[in-house]
Amino acid sequence: MAEVKLLGTWGSPFSLRVEMALKLKGIEYEYVEEDLSNKSSLLLESNPVHKKIPVLLHNGKPIAESLVILEYIDETWQNGPSILPKNPYDRAMARFWAKFLDDTLAEAFRKTFASAGDEQVKAKEQVQELLKFLDNELKGKKFFGGESIGFVDIAGNALAYWMEIFAELAGIEFIATDKLPHLCAWMEVYLNSSFVKEHLPDREKLVDSFRARFQKTG
Amino acid sequence: MAEVKLLGLWGSPFSRRVEMALKLKGIEYEYFEEDKKNKSPLLLKYNPVHKKVPVLVHKGKPIAESLVILEYIDDTWGDIGPPILPKTPYERAMARFWPKFIDEMCIPTLRRASWSEGDEKEKAKNEAATLLKILDVEVKGKKFFGGETLGLVDIAAGFIACWFGVMEEIVGTQILNKDEFPNLCDWIEVFNNDNFVKQNLPPRDRLVGKYEAHYQAVKQARAA
């Protein structure tokens, strides 16, 4: 009997990505909520390199890194909807944009939140430039994946939901409808799609947990 | 009009990854040497997001990011030449995990360990040792990271085998040593002496010159 286990945390977009992929494919799994201040021995053994969640365990074999896990799920369970496109060029584009979200855009957001004054103004402009690329990419499309949610949309959960919350807490507006109409439209459809909506963590709880974290380190 | 074009830089480890993959598969391509200080209109057109090499252009459609390109090559020319990624989903997941580790953690740390100084350098050197140990354990008992033959992880790890070796020589560090990292050093020996790899690494003396110049520039900027 195939055994699938996910080590994750409730408030993590990376953990949620894996849950979304498993649910999309209709795969049964055991979820283990990790306490990052007291990591389980299973987590430390399964991901000795990074010691982070999410980690997927399939028949006891661990896979770490959310995007790597998503590709593994797509390749292993070929029944059900595809996460990545079929055609090599479209697959390359999906991988490119997911990397863009996690590396380039995330770094630009980090810089914005970590800076102040003129530096922050510059950092905000950089974020706007990057978001414009995403906005262009969505022209004529409902989702990054086309008609249905795909790899980039799943990876985009951090942008659509978490980033928006951080921005509110920091008092910064990133995504204005007039400047980024396609991105705004995507966020609306994405966050309201029944599949996504039912799996997002409660907004108030999430805001409270971040506020608590900011207070601890602030 | 060449069906496959590559915009690259002779000294870039990321650019060389793509050349290695193309040559491994025996794919003919037209190469364009870019100039970092004077980027071609073609580069800006084909990679407007990052404006960096390497960019592969296949039948007019551009792909950027070396690891994305390598998977594209493997997907597109799957039936031609040796595979770049393994066959089974689990092995493929591992083959994706390690290059990510190399690019996100190892390369920035190894660069910092080389070019910085003082406390920053010491910290980076310690981090580098931890990261290299992880790779040392991973390659133990194997000829290549990919097993019996060269694969995606080996191609990605080329930075460590070639570029980092030159950096260490220039700045006078010995972070990567046989005592602490016997398996990794064995792999480096095999990798650097492999006939195919040898033909696809940048000329060492040119790389030495490039890094010498970089080191001087870094030191001058610090003194200013």
Side-chain angles (χ1 to χ4, degrees):
Chain A
M1 170 79 85
E3 186 204 86
V4 181
K5 206 180 266 192
L6 172 63
L7 311 184
T9 56
W10 165 81
S12 156
F14 308 102
S15 180
L16 184 66
R17 286 173 184 179
V18 179
E19 291 205 84
M20 283 167 75
L22 291 167
K23 294 207 161 108
L24 200 67
K25 295 274 194 184
I27 300 160
E28 284 194 28
Y29 63 99
E30 181 193 343
Y31 175 77
V32 178
E33 176 75 17
E34 281 287 331
D35 174 0
L36 297 182
S37 62
N38 186 20
K39 293 176 184 181
S40 72
S41 52
L42 182 60
L43 174 57
L44 298 174
E45 278 162 30
S46 306
N47 190 3
V49 175
H50 300 294
K51 304 177 177 62
K52 286 180 169 177
I53 56 92
V55 178
L56 188 80
L57 286 136
H58 184 206
N59 294 326
K61 288 162 112 173
I63 304 119
E65 298 292 295
S66 65
L67 298 181
V68 174
I69 299 171
L70 255 49
E71 293 225 38
Y72 175 80
I73 289 170
D74 207 34
E75 284 177 359
T76 305
W77 288 278
Q78 300 205 2
N79 294 325
S82 288
I83 295 172
L84 274 116
K86 290 292 174 211
N87 153 316
Y89 189 75
D90 294 338
R91 291 162 77 78
M93 292 305 101
R95 288 176 180 131
F96 175 87
W97 288 111
K99 203 177 194 294
F100 172 83
L101 286 170
D102 275 5
D103 297 351
T104 317
L105 187 61
E107 179 58 31
F109 272 119
R110 252 193 302 271
K111 270 204 182 114
T112 313
F113 293 131
S115 59
D118 281 345
E119 225 190 284
Q120 191 178 68
V121 172
K122 253 181 93 184
K124 266 185 78 180
E125 277 167 17
Q126 165 71 334
V127 169
Q128 287 304 312
E129 264 181 56
L130 297 175
L131 292 175
K132 193 83 196 120
F133 284 122
L134 284 176
D135 189 79
N136 283 336
E137 186 55 24
L138 282 164
K139 277 190 189 145
K141 294 205 281 198
K142 184 177 181 189
F143 296 109
F144 287 101
E147 271 309 297
S148 50
I149 283 174
F151 192 63
V152 182
D153 301 283
I154 296 175
N157 68 349
L159 170 63
Y161 197 62
W162 274 259
M163 217 34 74
E164 200 267 305
I165 293 172
F166 286 140
E168 180 185 296
L169 287 172
I172 304 173
E173 192 200 21
F174 285 114
I175 303 180
T177 319
D178 55 338
K179 298 224 173 72
L180 303 163
H182 307 99
L183 192 59
C184 287
W186 169 78
M187 273 175 66
E188 179 96 22
V189 177
Y190 180 69
L191 294 173
N192 285 306
S193 73
S194 56
F195 173 75
V196 174
K197 211 151 88 161
E198 72 184 86
H199 298 122
L200 288 173
D202 178 76
R203 198 179 190 281
E204 283 221 19
K205 269 179 93 179
L206 205 56
V207 169
D208 286 344
S209 78
F210 288 136
R211 247 198 274 269
R213 217 165 53 180
F214 282 136
Q215 274 161 16
K216 250 192 257 167
T217 57
Chain B
M1 176 80 70
E3 193 180 271
V4 181
K5 287 186 176 53
L6 174 64
L7 312 183
L9 283 168
W10 72 267
S12 156
F14 307 101
S15 181
R16 289 279 173 170
R17 286 174 181 178
V18 179
E19 290 203 83
M20 240 185 241
L22 291 167
K23 294 223 167 93
L24 203 64
K25 293 272 193 188
I27 299 159
E28 283 193 29
Y29 62 99
E30 190 183 352
Y31 179 78
F32 294 80
E33 176 72 17
E34 282 291 325
D35 177 355
K36 255 198 229 180
K37 298 189 190 113
N38 187 18
K39 295 176 181 183
S40 75
L42 217 58
L43 177 59
L44 300 176
K45 170 180 156 190
Y46 284 138
N47 191 2
V49 176
H50 301 294
K51 306 174 180 57
K52 285 180 172 179
V53 301
V55 181
L56 189 80
V57 187
H58 184 207
K59 296 183 180 163
K61 289 162 115 179
I63 305 119
E65 296 294 300
S66 66
L67 299 178
V68 175
I69 298 170
L70 257 49
E71 289 228 40
Y72 175 79
I73 290 170
D74 206 42
D75 273 349
T76 305
W77 290 278
D79 297 333
I80 298 171
I84 295 170
L85 276 106
K87 290 291 170 218
T88 75
Y90 190 75
E91 289 174 296
R92 289 165 76 81
M94 295 306 103
R96 289 175 177 130
F97 176 88
W98 289 110
K100 218 172 182 290
F101 172 75
I102 288 164
D103 280 7
E104 288 169 15
M105 318 257 327
C106 298
I107 294 181
T109 305
L110 292 174
R111 281 178 167 159
R112 240 183 358 257
S114 301
W115 309 125
S116 67
E117 58 169 19
D119 284 344
E120 200 193 333
K121 191 182 183 90
E122 281 316 301
K123 202 172 158 227
K125 279 167 78 175
N126 288 329
E127 274 172 39
T130 307
L131 298 174
L132 292 172
K133 192 74 203 149
I134 291 170
L135 288 176
D136 186 76
V137 168
E138 181 55 25
V139 81
K140 190 175 179 174
K142 298 198 277 197
K143 181 178 180 190
F144 293 107
F145 283 96
E148 272 308 297
T149 50
L150 207 69
L152 181 61
V153 184
D154 302 278
I155 296 174
F159 175 87
I160 297 168
C162 171
W163 283 261
F164 183 58
V166 175
M167 283 161 76
E168 291 229 82
E169 185 184 303
I170 302 294
V171 305
T173 52
Q174 272 188 305
I175 299 166
L176 190 44
N177 61 79
K178 228 173 157 47
D179 288 332
E180 283 179 76
F181 314 107
N183 306 295
L184 193 55
C185 287
D186 281 348
W187 170 80
I188 289 173
E189 183 101 14
V190 171
F191 182 83
N192 283 340
N193 286 306
D194 179 88
N195 277 320
F196 169 75
V197 172
K198 255 198 298 213
Q199 293 169 43
N200 289 299
L201 292 174
R204 203 171 197 279
D205 53 353
R206 238 186 129 184
L207 210 54
V208 168
K210 172 179 139 108
Y211 280 145
E212 261 291 353
H214 178 76
Y215 195 35
Q216 290 313 314
V218 164
K219 285 197 282 195
Q220 265 167 35
R222 269 203 288 263

